[in-house]
Amino acid sequence: MFSLTAPSEDEIRRFISKQKDSGFSYPEVGASATAVPTAYNVDHNRVQLGRGKVTWQRAAEAIRTWHMFSLPWVRLHWPSAPILVGSDVAVSVHHFGFYSLNACRIVYTLDEEGTVKRFGFAYGTLAEHAESGEERFSIEWNLDDDKVWYDILAFSRPRQTLARLGYPLSRLLQKRFAEGSKSAMLEAVSGT
């Protein structure tokens, strides 16, 4: 959904509600957990958040509250959405003088114990999304070296006409989001 004005809360609620019966807009659902499919743009970004248990706990809370979307030009609707398979959310983006509203659904969650602990989730695009693909947001704590990392893995391709026409701009926004998301997570674990 594209608009010259920011969508109202009622419009967003209706938009999300309409997604309940929507299917994913790509066939490789869950592929970000195993092997990323070909024929997509792949973006993989990582940043070390710090070390130790406190950093891990803060990072996990940031994932639970969708803090990686705390950017001035991006809004997650709603940050109270549970990190559960099947949860639907909308991402509104203010870019190039207009707004877009995009629908996503959580595909899988991560909560792994072991020498490397992992926590996070992936969501996939629904029919009402400008792109087609999947994005995984996760944190890792390697107990051997005590480092905590934030990791974003996405595969996507333009789906709607405006996204295809504005392909270079779409790629620019994806890179800008990844950088902003990493900064937001670093801020979340800094305790400030």
Side-chain angles (χ1 to χ4, degrees):
M1 180 176 117
F2 294 96
S3 172
L4 292 175
T5 59
S8 70
E9 285 197 17
D10 285 341
E11 289 171 321
I12 294 166
R13 287 185 203 290
R14 283 192 302 273
F15 178 80
I16 294 172
S17 178
K18 289 179 184 176
Q19 306 313 307
K20 295 298 176 206
D21 297 324
S22 177
F24 290 99
S25 64
Y26 62 104
E28 304 90 347
V29 176
S32 64
T34 55
V36 176
T38 58
Y40 288 87
N41 297 307
V42 177
D43 295 301
H44 191 194
N45 291 274
R46 266 173 89 77
V47 65
Q48 184 180 342
L49 298 175
R51 294 176 177 266
K53 185 176 183 177
V54 171
T55 299
W56 169 258
Q57 290 170 332
R58 288 178 177 168
E61 182 59 22
I63 293 280
R64 281 187 201 94
T65 58
W66 302 79
H67 193 82
M68 61 283 211
F69 283 86
S70 295
L71 307 174
W73 56 282
V74 176
R75 296 272 184 262
L76 189 285
H77 306 283
W78 308 104
S80 59
I83 306 297
L84 298 171
V85 172
S87 289
D88 292 339
V89 295
V91 180
S92 63
V93 183
H94 184 214
H95 45 57
F96 311 116
F98 65 93
Y99 294 82
S100 64
L101 193 57
N102 299 284
C104 301
R105 178 174 294 139
I106 294 181
V107 176
Y108 64 85
T109 61
L110 297 167
D111 195 359
E112 300 172 1
E113 294 292 328
T115 306
V116 177
K117 295 177 72 162
R118 293 178 70 210
F119 179 77
F121 68 93
Y123 68 22
T125 59
L126 300 175
E128 289 296 325
H129 198 295
E131 299 279 328
S132 179
E134 195 168 286
E135 193 160 23
R136 182 188 72 211
F137 304 93
S138 61
I139 54 171
E140 295 177 4
W141 180 16
N142 185 326
L143 299 178
D144 289 337
D145 64 13
D146 209 29
K147 292 179 181 176
V148 178
W149 294 85
Y150 173 53
D151 190 273
I152 311 168
L153 174 65
F155 64 88
S156 66
R157 61 183 170 212
R159 191 170 120 359
Q160 294 182 350
T161 303
L162 282 178
R164 285 194 300 270
L165 291 173
Y167 175 75
L169 298 176
S170 294
R171 294 295 293 148
L172 177 72
L173 288 173
Q174 288 170 331
K175 290 179 187 331
R176 184 177 170 207
F177 172 77
E179 290 305 311
S181 184
K182 290 188 299 185
S183 295
M185 287 296 289
L186 282 165
E187 176 189 299
V189 300
S190 71
T192 57

